[in-house]
């Protein structure tokens, strides 16, 4: 078993985590989260891979032929679908933040209670969220 896929997975995760920690934009943050998730793809495929094995299609192979674990491949496909859904949801939320608050910088966004308190001090009454 080679250590290369595990090193690649750790490197991808570290790069993505560094991007998440240093991100100054929510769109960049979502992209870095996608890089972290790609590390899980590499890790799962490295765990399920078997040397000198064939694809898990047993139609034309004799019994006892070593095959790659199909469960791990199914988990990776499920991970890809969940990752795409999560990315789409987070990007939609980032678009809504941009529309409502005018910025995507996490440092510029005040917490909602502070924003409501500032609006109340200015004489504006914030409508309740529905």
């Amino acid at each position: 078993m080679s250590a290369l896929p595990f090193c690649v997975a750790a490197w991808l995760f570290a790069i993505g985590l560094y991007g998440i920690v240093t991100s100054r934009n929510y769109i960049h943050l979502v992209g870095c989260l996608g890089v972290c998730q790609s590390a899980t793809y590499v890790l799962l495929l490295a765990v399920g891979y078997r040397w000198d094995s064939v694809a898990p299609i047993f139609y034309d192979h004799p019994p006892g032929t070593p095959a790659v674990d199909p469960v791990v491949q199914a988990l990776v496909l499920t991970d890809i679908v969940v990752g795409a859904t999560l990315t789409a949801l987070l990007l939609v939320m980032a678009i809504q933040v941009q529309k409502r608050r005018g910025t995507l910088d996490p440092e510029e966004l005040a917490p909602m209670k502070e924003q409501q308190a500032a609006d109340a001090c200015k004489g504006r009454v914030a409508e309740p969220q529905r």
Side-chain angles (χ1 to χ4, degrees), residues 41-86:
Y41 308 154
V42 173
L43 185 66
L44 281 172
L45 289 174
V47 167
Y49 185 75
R50 290 176 57 186
W51 291 99
D52 300 327
S53 298
V54 296
I57 301 170
F58 299 110
Y59 177 71
D60 58 348
H61 296 293
T65 303
V68 178
D69 190 8
V71 174
V72 177
Q73 294 176 3
L75 284 173
V76 171
L77 287 175
T78 304
D79 193 13
I80 290 169
V81 170
V82 169
T85 305
L86 180 68

Side-chain angles (χ1 to χ4, degrees), residues 9-25 28-37 39:
W11 180 75
L12 280 172
F13 187 77
I15 294 295
L17 191 61
Y18 176 77
I20 288 172
V21 170
T22 60
S23 179
R24 305 280 295 163
N25 188 319
H28 182 257
L29 185 87
V30 172
C32 292
L33 189 64
V35 171
C36 278
Q37 191 164 14

Side-chain angles (χ1 to χ4, degrees), residues 54-128:
V54 296
I57 301 170
F58 299 110
Y59 177 71
D60 58 348
H61 296 293
T65 303
V68 178
D69 190 8
V71 174
V72 177
Q73 294 176 3
L75 284 173
V76 171
L77 287 175
T78 304
D79 193 13
I80 290 169
V81 170
V82 169
T85 305
L86 180 68
T87 300
L89 178 68
L90 289 174
L91 288 175
V92 167
M93 289 174 67
I95 290 171
Q96 291 301 315
V97 166
Q98 172 65 32
K99 283 182 182 178
R100 293 174 191 244
R101 305 294 290 276
T103 184
L104 288 174
D105 187 4
E107 296 292 326
E108 292 181 16
L109 294 172
M112 190 62 109
K113 288 184 180 181
E114 290 179 15
Q115 183 68 31
Q116 288 177 352
D119 289 344
C121 289
K122 292 179 184 176
R124 293 183 280 175
V125 178
E127 295 185 23

